[in-house]
Amino acid sequence: MPVYTPRMELLSPEFRQRLKKLRLMCDRVKSARSRGQRLSRALGHGIEFAGHRPYSHGDDTRYLDWNAAARLDQLVLKQFDAAGELTLVLAPDLSPSMAFGTPDKFSHALGVLAALGSIALHGSDRVLLAPVTGETQRPRVFHGVASEGALLEALSSLKPARTGISSAGGWLAGLRAMRGDSLLVLSSDFLARDTLLGAIRDLRRMNTRVLAFHHIAPQEFNPRLDGRVRLDFLERDGSRVKVNVT
């Protein structure tokens, strides 16, 4: 079994600063009951002031709040409520095979999800963390820039399981309470292909959009097969597989 070593830092401070300038631009379902915070391009009827966020180099200076800047001694931008809040669901695959590779697939998957989660929180969208396991569990909810550190800490604490995923029924049960516009981001090596593809079909029937990242280690692209080779079935707690080549 490969040994997974957690990364000390998923996103560097410099990279996190760059992510603050980005926003998720996927199509949003607008609803009178779903109200999220986005930087408005105009002040008009029906748009409500929702707060400030720190100014970053490259932001539109038209939305600077000079009165607040004088009080806070820093440049801040006005933000407003607007219809179209998105729920971003981060779904890392906890299968044991994700620990394989140098660099390992799991660390790469967490880095991708951390970046997307950071962008969503700075855009005032809601983020759910729902690791893919065979168990029923309630997703953790994060909302607002202040929860970015808690999200990164929660992602960093995850580790691949010791056994593979034979059924996604329990995981799906924890997601059935989702309401409103949602996008689920699945990061997996898809070695449990049939189980995960079945889960994706069920999610689409729940009106949840799915974005999938397929992670492959360099050693899987170009394995060394010189001499005697031992194959371990990582999805079943490292059970060995005997292969006869004729």
Side-chain angles (χ1 to χ4, degrees), residues 95-187:
S95 297
S97 58
M98 289 291 287
F100 178 76
T102 306
D104 64 271
K105 294 178 283 186
F106 195 65
S107 293
H108 190 264
L110 292 184
V112 170
L113 296 179
L116 291 174
S118 177
I119 294 171
L121 291 176
H122 280 276
S124 294
D125 291 315
R126 188 170 67 141
V127 174
L128 270 61
L129 178 57
V132 184
T133 68
E135 303 175 356
T136 302
Q137 55 181 332
R138 193 168 185 175
R140 290 189 59 181
V141 181
F142 304 86
H143 207 311
V145 177
S147 66
E148 181 186 19
L151 172 62
L152 296 180
E153 184 178 348
L155 283 167
S156 299
S157 68
L158 295 175
K159 295 180 181 180
R162 291 189 59 83
T163 57
I165 301 168
S166 58
S167 172
W171 174 66
L172 286 170
L175 297 174
R176 295 195 186 280
M178 284 193 306
R179 295 291 184 271
D181 190 22
S182 57
L183 171 66
L184 183 139
V185 182
L186 173 62
S187 270

Side-chain angles (χ1 to χ4, degrees), residues 45-73:
H45 178 71
I47 301 178
E48 299 176 356
F49 176 69
H52 298 94
R53 73 168 175 84
Y55 170 81
S56 296
H57 179 70
D59 284 335
D60 194 332
T61 56
R62 291 179 298 170
Y63 302 106
L64 285 168
D65 188 334
W66 295 106
N67 291 329
R71 294 195 312 270
L72 302 173
D73 197 29

Side-chain angles (χ1 to χ4, degrees), residues 22-95:
L22 304 179
R23 293 294 179 266
L24 298 177
M25 298 300 293
C26 58
D27 292 336
R28 293 166 186 251
V29 178
K30 298 187 185 302
S31 165
R33 294 190 305 170
S34 175
R35 299 181 62 83
Q37 298 173 16
R38 291 185 295 175
L39 189 61
S40 174
R41 293 188 181 275
L43 299 180
H45 178 71
I47 301 178
E48 299 176 356
F49 176 69
H52 298 94
R53 73 168 175 84
Y55 170 81
S56 296
H57 179 70
D59 284 335
D60 194 332
T61 56
R62 291 179 298 170
Y63 302 106
L64 285 168
D65 188 334
W66 295 106
N67 291 329
R71 294 195 312 270
L72 302 173
D73 197 29
Q74 70 172 125
L75 294 177
V76 292
L77 295 168
K78 294 180 180 179
Q79 288 186 295
F80 300 88
D81 276 344
E85 181 186 56
L86 177 74
T87 295
L88 180 70
V89 185
L90 305 180
D93 181 0
L94 299 191
S95 297

